[in-house]
């Protein structure tokens, strides 16, 4: 098989899969959710930062910052890192920060006032 044949076969298979997903509505809900919020899903952010889900709370904010700093610096393009990965790390921290802020709002809302 030549390179063109391999590419053609792979392209054809990918197209068939994309068409099947479009018919089934697969991916539409994920794309819609991402476009509505404009931010990374929390589950993806946890994976990107390799952060334990059970530590996702206001007390874990410092650990998130530490993990972010380490990963952001290690992916610096000036040091041979990847701008794409650095961007993913930034968006992951942004998403987790928003999630923690939402947790704090909910806790404040549920706390009886004096």
């Amino acid at each position: 098989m030549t390179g063109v044949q391999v590419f053609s076969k792979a392209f054809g298979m990918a197209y068939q899969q994309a068409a099947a997903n479009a018919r089934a509505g697969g991916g539409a809900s994920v794309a819609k959710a991402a476009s509505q919020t404009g931010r990374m899903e929390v589950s993806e952010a946890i994976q990107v930062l390799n952060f334990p889900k059970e530590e996702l709370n206001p007390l874990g904010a410092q650990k998130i910052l530490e993990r972010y700093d380490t990963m952001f610096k290690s992916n610096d393009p000036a040091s041979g890192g990847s701008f794409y990965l650095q961007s993913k790390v930034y968006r992951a921290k942004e998403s987790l920060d928003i999630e923690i802020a939402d947790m704090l709002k909910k806790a404040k809302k549920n706390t009886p006032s004096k």
Side-chain angles (χ1 to χ4, degrees), residues 75-91:
N75 287 297
D76 185 1
S79 304
S82 165
F83 177 74
Y84 173 77
L85 292 177
Q86 194 179 48
S87 298
K88 291 288 266 187
V89 169
Y90 178 84
R91 293 296 175 203

Side-chain angles (χ1 to χ4, degrees), residues 17-33:
Q17 184 63 47
N21 285 346
R23 283 190 299 275
S29 61
V30 173
K32 185 177 179 183

Side-chain angles (χ1 to χ4, degrees), residues 41-86:
E41 291 287 324
V42 173
S43 58
E44 182 183 2
I46 288 170
Q47 289 177 342
V48 168
L49 291 177
N50 194 24
F51 194 77
K53 185 177 182 177
E54 53 278 352
E55 291 185 31
L56 182 58
N57 58 54
L59 298 175
Q62 183 62 34
K63 289 183 181 180
I64 291 171
L65 180 61
E66 291 168 3
R67 184 74 50 98
Y68 163 78
D69 284 339
T70 301
M71 295 181 84
F72 192 83
K73 289 175 187 172
S74 67
N75 287 297
D76 185 1
S79 304
S82 165
F83 177 74
Y84 173 77
L85 292 177
Q86 194 179 48

Side-chain angles (χ1 to χ4, degrees), residues 22-40:
R23 283 190 299 275
S29 61
V30 173
K32 185 177 179 183
S35 66
Q36 286 178 344
T37 62
R39 68 176 175 151
M40 182 182 287

